[in-house]
Amino acid sequence: GQQVMQIPQYQHVQEGEDFTTYCNSSTTLSNIQWYKQRPGGHPVFLIQLVKSGEVKKQKRLTFQFGEAKKNSSLHITATQTTDVGTYFCAGRGGSTGFQKLVFGTGTRLLVSP
Amino acid sequence: DSGVTQTPKHLITATGQRVTLRCSPRSGDLSVYWYQQSLDQGLQFLIQYYNGEERAKGNILERFSAQQFPDLHSELNLSSLELGDSALYFCASSVYSGANTEAFFGQGTRLTVV
């Protein structure tokens, strides 16, 4: 079935350092979404990318969708302690069906002040 | 507040028992998803409904079942519970069931099987 992997699994940075998480799907995606889950919280939608090669920015966050629509990345510039949490990518599409929203394995980010 | 309501928030039960988790989607959302999140793990897709009909199924165990009612609320039934079923169960909803729709998550139900 469709699998979505993320690397790294965990990253610990000092406040002010940059952070990047990578998302790779075993199949082509119709779109990619990114969610953030704070410790003890629930996933919250951040953004959606639809077009091949698309790049979107939200303040210090930059999201990219690969040309082949099988990978994506989230880059945070100058991390802050408020960025702490687990970042998930989620994709729809692939051989297992169009409707499923399959989440990646997640990258847990810890930011030290 | 996402607008998605899950009850109960916490549930402790014994092995072999059966429980029902309830989810009320956001007003206007027709699609409901169920996910399982074990400790420090990712979100495992269980099942999805759209306007009362099952639309997609993940690696949901045969001991688990779900349904979406005419008023669009959904229930996830877990039976013959095992210790390994202890997890956080999230419900999410979206307007439609296809692409280009973001999912809004509830606060989750933490199930502990003892």
Side-chain angles (χ1 to χ4, degrees), chain A:
Chain A
Q2 180 183 4
Q3 291 187 338
V4 183
M5 305 297 293
Q6 283 182 252
I7 54 170
Q9 187 175 357
Y10 171 81
Q11 186 150 12
H12 185 180
V13 301
Q14 294 293 315
E15 192 172 23
E17 293 181 339
D18 292 356
F19 160 77
T20 304
T21 172
Y22 300 91
C23 172
N24 293 287
S25 171
S26 58
T27 56
T28 302
L29 302 171
S30 59
N31 63 35
I32 193 88
Q33 297 177 349
W34 284 91
Y35 292 77
K36 176 183 178 182
Q37 184 177 21
R38 294 182 185 275
H42 60 279
V44 176
F45 175 82
L46 293 177
I47 206 162
Q48 176 174 275
L49 304 170
V50 179
K51 299 177 183 177
S52 171
E54 188 171 10
V55 178
K56 286 188 176 181
K57 292 190 176 184
Q58 283 183 351
K59 298 183 179 178
R60 295 178 294 105
L61 278 61
T62 301
F63 303 84
Q64 285 189 300
F65 199 9
E67 294 291 340
K69 301 185 78 172
K70 294 181 71 174
N71 58 73
S72 181
S73 65
L74 158 59
H75 179 81
I76 301 179
T77 303
T79 54
Q80 300 176 356
T81 54
T82 53
D83 294 326
V84 165
T86 301
Y87 292 85
F88 292 98
C89 63
R92 295 185 193 270
S95 60
T96 54
F98 186 75
Q99 313 289 354
K100 289 183 187 179
L101 182 59
V102 177
F103 277 74
T105 47
T107 295
R108 186 177 171 191
L109 173 64
L110 182 61
V111 181
S112 294

Side-chain angles (χ1 to χ4, degrees), chain B residues 69-88:
Chain B
F69 295 86
D71 67 352
L72 301 178
H73 91 271
S74 179
E75 293 181 355
L76 178 66
N77 300 297
L78 315 175
S79 62
S80 303
L81 285 167
E82 302 174 359
L83 295 178
D85 297 328
S86 295
L88 195 52

Side-chain angles (χ1 to χ4, degrees), chain B residues 26-47:
Chain B
R26 288 190 324 154
S27 177
D29 283 359
L30 300 177
S31 194
V32 169
Y33 315 73
W34 285 98
Y35 290 87
Q36 179 193 55
Q37 186 174 43
S38 300
L39 189 62
D40 291 334
Q41 297 295 312
L43 292 154
Q44 298 299 318
F45 173 76
L46 296 178
I47 200 163

Side-chain angles (χ1 to χ4, degrees), chain B residues 83-105:
Chain B
L83 295 178
D85 297 328
S86 295
L88 195 52
Y89 290 85
F90 283 109
C91 166
S93 73
S94 64
V95 176
Y96 304 112
S97 64
N100 301 338
T101 55
E102 64 185 270
F104 294 85
F105 281 77

